Amino acid sequence: MKVSIGIPFYNAELFLADAIKSVIQQSFQDWELILVNDGSTDQSLSIAQEFAKKDHRIRVISDGKNKKLPTRLNQIIQESQYEYIARMDADDLMHPDRLKIQLDFLEKNKEFDLVSTGVVSINDKNQVRGIRRLREIYTDFSEVKRHYPIVHASILAKRDWYLRNKYDQSLPRTEDFELWCRAISKNDLKLAVLPEALYYYREEGLVTAEKLKRSYKDGLNVYKKYCKKPKLKILISSRIKFYAVDLLDYVGLLQKIIRLRNKEPISLDTIKYHEAIISNIFNN
């Protein structure tokens, strides 16, 4: 049982080293790390290459081109050598037991092909801003909906599943949502979302109005494509969100949208626990 971890990166020099460190510090150690450069113009490639020199499990792929995320994710699938593939973004962090817990679940529950987790939201200054997780394991992916409780970057999946379910390279903002909908339409999304928060997701301070608007627009088109009977309420609310982004951005309140995602109250003890883990990643 081994894992291929894929991190595509583009101009991620501020955070890439810490993302890699959080992989190196995993309690599960039988992995390879595939770092795919998507045409970075900063020092990201040099950072990746330095880590590869020190650890034989790390390899860097770079062709000098900017092909966007879905293309790079498909490339990682092809390049991966092991039976499981873990996703990760270049500006995020892993809980040290992420791989161990996810692998343990898939090994004990063979009927599932993928597993996702809850997330701790952090900002660009590494401060814990909130937490998003479910109360219990969620497995109901029987019909196409507008939203699913899946954090794409926290996915660990069987390589065989990815080989028959590639990303649509024409949708760089909603490649994950399109993949879930397409797989559901084929009755091929055997996915479990665990309640544990095992992924540190850097979102507040980095999400822009244009990115949100593109995601809303593309996501709505995907929903209409795969849902046999689109709900009028969902169609209207998606349009409202699209125009609300411009308004909130104009008045300087855009980041409140990001904070509203983290509805669960987070205790001081929980904040301290996760801050200690983050600090440990930085200091090793």
Side-chain angles (χ1 to χ4, degrees), residues 137-150:
I137 294 176
Y138 182 91
T139 61
D140 182 14
F141 297 100
S142 58
E143 61 179 309
V144 172
K145 299 178 181 179
R146 182 60 185 89
H147 297 285
Y148 304 107
I150 308 169

Side-chain angles (χ1 to χ4, degrees), residues 2-55:
K2 294 185 178 181
V3 181
S4 296
I5 306 161
I7 303 180
F9 63 89
Y10 172 74
N11 289 352
E13 64 180 4
L14 294 179
F15 306 113
L16 181 59
D18 292 323
I20 296 171
K21 288 179 183 178
S22 75
V23 174
I24 294 171
Q25 294 177 40
Q26 288 294 293
S27 55
F28 179 86
Q29 286 286 301
D30 287 334
W31 49 259
E32 66 167 346
L33 175 58
I34 306 169
L35 301 171
V36 182
N37 179 32
D38 193 34
S40 297
T41 57
D42 63 0
Q43 295 301 307
S44 298
L45 179 57
S46 296
I47 293 169
Q49 291 170 334
E50 283 301 310
F51 277 95
K53 289 178 183 177
K54 299 174 184 177
D55 194 321

Side-chain angles (χ1 to χ4, degrees), residues 120-240:
V120 176
S121 175
I122 59 177
N123 63 14
D124 54 353
K125 296 179 175 61
N126 303 309
Q127 298 169 319
V128 174
R129 305 299 291 174
I131 191 166
R132 295 203 301 280
R133 60 185 175 187
L134 302 174
R135 298 294 182 183
E136 57 188 18
I137 294 176
Y138 182 91
T139 61
D140 182 14
F141 297 100
S142 58
E143 61 179 309
V144 172
K145 299 178 181 179
R146 182 60 185 89
H147 297 285
Y148 304 107
I150 308 169
V151 176
H152 183 208
S154 77
I155 286 288
L156 185 143
K158 295 174 181 176
R159 185 173 186 267
D160 287 345
W161 184 88
Y162 266 131
L163 288 174
R164 64 179 185 266
N165 293 285
K166 298 290 186 65
Y167 290 93
D168 185 333
Q169 296 179 181
S170 69
L171 295 169
R173 289 300 307 167
T174 53
E175 75 286 339
D176 53 333
F177 180 63
E178 193 279 336
L179 181 61
W180 313 143
C181 291
R182 177 161 33 96
I184 288 172
S185 71
K186 300 187 301 180
N187 194 30
D188 194 19
L189 191 67
K190 305 301 186 292
L191 188 155
V193 182
L194 304 183
E196 294 93 338
L198 302 174
Y199 192 85
Y200 297 96
Y201 188 41
R202 200 183 303 277
E203 50 187 347
E204 185 180 333
L206 297 179
V207 176
T208 66
E210 287 305 312
K211 287 181 179 179
L212 276 177
K213 287 165 61 178
R214 180 67 182 274
S215 295
Y216 288 148
K217 182 179 179 180
D218 289 352
L220 182 59
N221 289 335
V222 169
Y223 172 74
K224 290 190 292 185
K225 177 180 178 179
Y226 287 104
C227 186
K228 295 179 180 178
K229 294 182 179 179
K231 296 181 180 179
L232 181 60
K233 179 180 178 181
I234 292 177
L235 299 179
I236 294 174
S237 65
S238 294
R239 290 294 183 186
I240 292 174

Side-chain angles (χ1 to χ4, degrees), residues 232-280:
L232 181 60
K233 179 180 178 181
I234 292 177
L235 299 179
I236 294 174
S237 65
S238 294
R239 290 294 183 186
I240 292 174
K241 287 180 181 179
F242 182 86
Y243 293 111
V245 168
D246 275 335
L247 176 61
L248 288 168
D249 191 42
Y250 179 76
V251 299
L253 297 175
L254 181 61
Q255 294 307 317
K256 283 197 172 183
I257 291 179
I258 309 304
R259 287 195 291 271
L260 286 174
R261 296 178 182 181
N262 305 304
K263 296 179 180 179
E264 179 182 331
I266 184 168
S267 69
L268 182 59
D269 286 344
T270 301
I271 292 175
K272 288 182 177 179
Y273 167 76
H274 289 293
E275 285 181 344
I277 288 177
I278 293 170
S279 178
N280 188 59

